[in-house]
């Protein structure tokens, strides 16, 4: 126990809460930690709550009663999210991103932990009131976003592999069709990685028709697990609706045009903002 | 600009600093943000600095002069690091982790964003005073630790791929020898992912003789980049010293015994604590 002045206690509590999202902290934890009365702790929490809400960085949920306490729910305000996504769209639309085959180079942006954390906060905001047990993605490029989302929601991340790895133990494999060439691929998930009946939030960096994500959905069925939601960083809006395998998802950005000949790229905010 | 009471300002500044590690923030930024005198801001920062240092969660470096300001350097105190690593060692030593071939199942621990963030904070602490441009890892299992480290150091993450991917553009590939079977593998890095002469911190989840990491070192030579350091979550201590390809690295945990027959696993804290 440490006796702190209110000013120092506020700094310490802010730090404590920010590093424990979606975790119920009993008031007694704070009261004992600082040797303070619960009434003082409640006053501190009211100050923190007001700042978080004014800033649009999160909610502080207070649960009354014996099992009560306080829970920090990270939250990215719509205006901040929109500002962030406009910046991301601008960067994605740089003409030198176009690669042979009409692919878009995104690895530099996926390599910025700051961008991934903001994007993860957005997905965590969209699904903050859902009942979810685990975040899942398939290697490789969706991994940072899945972890950023998992960190904000205080959930573990499960990784689907493209091949069966010796370090994963026994695994369940499925085949799935992906890409405009309708090519056949394999993905595999370790038996011990996913509990039966888990509720799963699927996260990925990019979605076109949705073949890869549909593969993950099929894989989950093998574990009697269910999909609680799907969140992607960028969707390709150039897919015909009848080609689309998946309709219920949240996208942060929408890539509407990639024209290798004219070097034109157009990106707009995703369906996140229609919610 | 928002006028805040000192109590609210402390909460806001704490949040602001924690989300911007290794970033110089001029005092005028705070003074303008809160419509407060620089002297008040300095007093606030002194309170925050004291809490961070007492908690062992970070330093607040103050740079005087016209280009001055304040910089938050995340830091995990040795006692907290040791407590965390003891817990990790205990989890790693659970007998049911042994897989056929004597491999150790670690994916559940690698899937915990909280564990990855603490481990990343440790590596960031070890290298916090080094001149580093970028964090690098090779897919797949080192990715979360690399991002956690990059986030704490405010550095981008560059990903080496096992195969050349169409979404990476032109790439440089090398062959390397890894594993006890001395098998030959390929790794590849996108040309545009790494600037010439970058100073690189290599991060990975596991190291035995160091073949994979030596591969990354060789790959960096192709970019005229240099290795600023190597950090691994777990090293295998069961390697003879003359078999070891790499001697200069930081490990958080050391796996000394994995015996599939007796189901015995022994793990101790890594060389991190000898520094």
């Amino acid at each position: 126990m440490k006796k702190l002045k209110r000013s120092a206690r506020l700094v310490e509590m802010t730090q404590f809460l920010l590093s424990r999202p979606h975790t119920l902290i009993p008031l007694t934890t704070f009261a004992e930690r600082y040797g303070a009365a619960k009434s003082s702790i409640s006053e501190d929490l009211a100050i923190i709550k007001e700042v978080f809400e004014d800033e649009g960085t999160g909610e502080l949920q207070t649960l009354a009663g014996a099992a009560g306490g306080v829970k920090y729910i990270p939250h990215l305000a719509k205006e901040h999210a929109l500002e962030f996504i406009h910046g991301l769209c601008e960067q994605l639309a740089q003409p030198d991103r176009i690669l042979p085959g009409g692919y878009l180079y995104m690895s530099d942006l996926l390599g910025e932990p700051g961008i991934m954390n903001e994007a993860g906060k957005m997905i965590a905001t969209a699904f903050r009131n859902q009942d979810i047990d685990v975040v899942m993605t398939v290697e490789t490029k969706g991994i940072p976003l899945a972890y950023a989302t998992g960190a904000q929601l205080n959930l573990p991340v499960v990784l689907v592999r493209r091949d069966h790895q010796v370090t994963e133990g026994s695994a369940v494999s499925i085949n799935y069709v992906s890409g405009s060439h309708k090519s056949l691929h394999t993905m595999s998930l370790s038996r011990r990685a996913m509990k039966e009946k888990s509720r799963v939030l699927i996260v990925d960096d990019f979605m076109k028709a949705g073949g890869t994500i549909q593969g993950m959905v099929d894989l989950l069925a093998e574990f009697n697990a269910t999909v609680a939601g799907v969140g992607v960083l960028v969707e390709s809006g150039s897919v015909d609706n009848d080609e689309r395998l998946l309709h219920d998802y949240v996208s942060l950005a929408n890539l509407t045009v990639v024209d290798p000949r004219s070097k034109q790229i157009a990106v707009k905010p995703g369906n996140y903002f229609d919610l």
Side-chain angles (χ1 to χ4, degrees), chain A residues 14-271:
Chain A
T14 301
Q15 185 176 238
F16 191 91
L17 287 162
L18 287 176
S19 63
R20 288 165 183 80
H22 283 271
T23 306
L24 184 69
I25 301 157
L27 290 199
T28 45
T29 300
F30 287 122
E32 283 166 16
R33 194 173 164 88
Y34 307 121
K38 276 199 196 177
S39 57
S40 306
I41 298 296
S42 290
E43 284 166 36
D44 295 347
L45 289 171
I47 294 168
I48 297 173
K49 184 185 171 80
E50 202 182 328
V51 174
F52 283 7
E53 287 175 1
D54 283 356
E55 280 293 290
T57 51
E59 302 159 34
L60 221 54
Q61 289 182 355
T62 320
L63 284 91
V70 64
K71 203 189 263 191
Y72 162 57
I73 312 287
H75 187 281
L76 196 61
K78 210 160 194 170
E79 57 187 287
H80 294 167
L82 200 57
E83 196 185 323
F84 163 70
I85 287 298
H86 277 308
L88 187 69
C89 288
E90 210 170 284
Q91 288 190 274
L92 284 169
Q94 291 156 351
D96 63 353
R97 292 194 175 277
I98 299 184
L99 297 171
Y103 293 97
L104 200 70
Y105 183 77
M106 291 182 13
S107 299
D108 57 332
L109 302 174
L110 298 177
E112 292 291 341
I115 293 180
M116 290 299 98
N117 286 341
E118 287 299 287
K121 218 175 270 181
M122 283 180 68
I123 296 181
T125 300
F127 294 99
R128 70 190 186 282
N129 296 321
Q130 306 282 323
D131 179 19
I132 302 170
D133 301 308
V134 59
V135 176
M136 184 169 100
T137 192
V138 61
E139 59 181 338
T140 300
K141 292 199 315 216
I143 298 175
L145 184 57
Y147 273 83
T149 305
Q152 295 292 331
L153 290 171
N154 187 29
L155 291 175
V157 178
V158 163
L159 210 54
V160 177
R161 309 297 298 252
R162 302 279 182 184
D163 300 298
H164 181 207
Q165 301 287 330
V166 289
T167 51
E168 300 286 343
S170 65
V172 177
S173 295
I174 61 148
N175 293 309
Y176 68 100
V177 177
S178 98
S180 36
H181 305 294
K182 309 277 176 218
S183 50
L184 198 65
H185 301 273
T186 303
M187 58 168 80
S188 130
L189 180 57
S190 168
R191 274 227 162 273
R192 57 166 113 185
M194 180 74 68
K195 285 198 193 83
E196 289 264 316
K197 296 187 184 162
S198 293
R199 293 184 48 84
V200 181
L201 173 61
I202 295 175
V203 168
D204 212 351
D205 64 310
F206 191 79
M207 183 182 83
K208 206 165 177 179
T212 304
I213 290 173
Q214 186 56 50
M216 286 192 259
V217 174
D218 294 345
L219 190 51
L220 284 177
E222 299 287 330
F223 288 80
N224 289 320
T226 51
V227 181
V230 174
V232 298
L233 183 67
V234 180
E235 70 163 309
S236 169
S238 64
V239 180
D240 291 336
N241 233 350
D242 57 336
E243 264 193 88
R244 204 178 279 287
L245 297 168
L246 199 83
H247 296 273
D248 193 10
Y249 61 88
V250 170
S251 69
L252 307 192
N254 188 325
L255 181 65
T256 52
V257 179
V258 186
D259 185 344
R261 273 163 301 187
S262 66
K263 298 259 174 205
Q264 203 207 333
I265 304 173
V267 197
K268 63 178 189 182
N271 69 15

